[in-house]
Amino acid sequence: MKIAKVAASAGLGGFFFDDQKAIKAGARADGAAYIGEPQTPGFSAVRQAGQSISVMFVLEDGQIAYGDCAAVQYSGAGGRDALFSAGDFLGIITREIAPLYTGLEITGFKEMARLADRHMDGGGRPLHSAIRYGVTQACLDAAAKAGKTLMAKVIAGEYGLELSQKRIPVFCQCGDDRYTNADKMILKGADVMPHGLFNSIEKTGKTGEKLTGYVKWLRERVLELRQSEGYNPVFHIDVYGTLGEAFGGGGDGGANNLEKIARFLSALEEVAKPFKLRIESPVDMGERQAQIDALAGLREILDGMGAGVHIVADEWCNTYDDIVAFADSKAGHMAQIKTPDLGGINNTIEAVLYCKERGMGAYLGGTCNETNRSAEVCAHIALATSPDQILAKPGMGVDEGLMIVQNEMNRVLALKDLA
């Protein structure tokens, strides 16, 4: 089976591109917008509409395989690739991707994915991670369609894996609507919740007091609304480095105050009980090695205290090589594998497997700014690789992302012995 033609179309992402640096510097929320001056190169406003590109392979038998190029909400931050504009990158699909794949024999996913993931543009640079992300999704879909099987089965076959026999726990994120959306999660039985979006010191509190109040409310709300005593979600809250600001005396991540942060997290764990607590990005040190050192030190302190709260690496943990470095250093208890940042989904697959091999929790994440298609493909990756959790995506509305990811996994589980 060959790829006869390659086409591409511009589209929307599931949320927005946000200038994280401007938000941390005090850009003011005004309804759905932010008021302030952008501070990250490429941004013309603090908040801009998310964009995507669908890459479509027309197979010689008429089937169409496709994937979606998408980039994270906080593009250009934490060492990530620059802002992704569909208008700027559609031409690259035509110039760089179409010649690579038109007329190509579909031999297998890994081989096809490497073509885009290792391709250099005319300037000798790798393609933007968003392009590699979408093109390799199309490669996986093409391999599945050529083999008349499921994408999850293609991954399992090529990597020597066994498909999960049950759905992977789904993590929902609430955005700034952290009360009403948490209610939705509880009513729909989300496995992991609520993300929280504590992305400024104003939201977290100068001593973490607002975060503590929210965790207390969340605990009480689950106990009040849950429809079964067997429903015990994990509390996973992203604080975007603000604990470093609260306990470090500035925005440098508070490397010399890890003991204070650890004591705060241990106390927060008590507030959350009986629910397990994870805290994502407690500090942001501004560069990779300092971030690794800080999270490794914080994990060591917490483990030494016998605390059960776990910390999750996100900022500066973007590429496959980054994830290897964080896992090898035990920099945190879990790593977010932020799928668009890794480029080709072959790297995502290998990152999940590496974390599991090294005893690091694997969070198959991504961004609210993806699309339904990339979310569906990630559901197949999850069932093939069995991470600890997968992000409900795209969007911040809870209902849509949870439905897309959970329903796709349930379809695969129903079909795995039939297709």
Side-chain angles (χ1 to χ4, degrees), residues 3 11 38-39 51 71 88 90 155 162 164 182 199 224-225 227 232 245 258 317 337 348 356 364 380 397 406 410:
I3 298 171
Q39 297 191 23
Q51 299 182 32
D88 292 339
L90 269 171
I155 298 168
E162 293 289 332
S164 175
N199 60 353
E224 177 185 355
L225 292 185
Q227 298 174 0
N232 293 292
E245 295 180 57
L258 295 181
C317 186
I337 299 160
T348 288
K356 293 174 66 176
L364 183 60
H380 286 257
Q406 189 159 300
N410 288 343

Side-chain angles (χ1 to χ4, degrees), residues 183-334:
D183 281 357
K184 292 182 182 181
M185 296 172 195
I186 298 165
L187 294 173
K188 293 195 172 183
D191 306 300
V192 187
M193 58 177 287
H195 185 261
L197 198 70
F198 287 86
N199 60 353
S200 69
I201 194 68
E202 288 74 24
K203 294 177 185 177
T204 302
K206 292 182 179 179
T207 59
E209 73 279 1
K210 293 181 180 179
L211 175 61
T212 300
Y214 180 72
V215 171
K216 181 178 180 181
W217 174 86
L218 188 64
R219 174 193 181 276
E220 296 303 320
R221 197 63 170 163
V222 173
L223 294 175
E224 177 185 355
L225 292 185
R226 67 180 180 181
Q227 298 174 0
S228 165
E229 289 188 5
Y231 175 58
N232 293 292
V234 173
F235 291 174
H236 181 141
I237 299 177
D238 193 348
V239 298
Y240 293 86
T242 56
L243 295 184
E245 295 180 57
F247 297 100
D252 65 352
N256 296 320
N257 291 282
L258 295 181
E259 291 277 358
K260 290 182 181 178
I261 296 172
R263 287 195 296 271
F264 172 80
L265 290 177
S266 181
L268 195 64
E269 178 190 7
E270 293 300 315
V271 174
K273 285 181 177 178
F275 306 108
K276 183 176 176 59
L277 180 65
R278 295 186 187 129
I279 296 294
E280 185 171 340
S281 295
V283 300
D284 183 350
M285 301 301 295
E287 59 94 15
R288 190 179 90 165
Q289 190 56 53
Q291 187 77 354
I292 288 173
D293 293 343
L295 293 190
L298 185 55
R299 173 178 171 168
E300 184 177 4
I301 294 168
L302 287 168
D303 291 351
M305 293 168 59
V309 59
H310 282 183
I311 53 174
V312 183
D314 179 13
E315 305 301 327
W316 304 102
C317 186
N318 304 319
T319 66
Y320 174 79
D321 289 341
D322 292 340
I323 289 165
V324 167
F326 274 73
D328 286 349
S329 299
K330 298 187 185 303
H333 299 89
M334 173 180 280

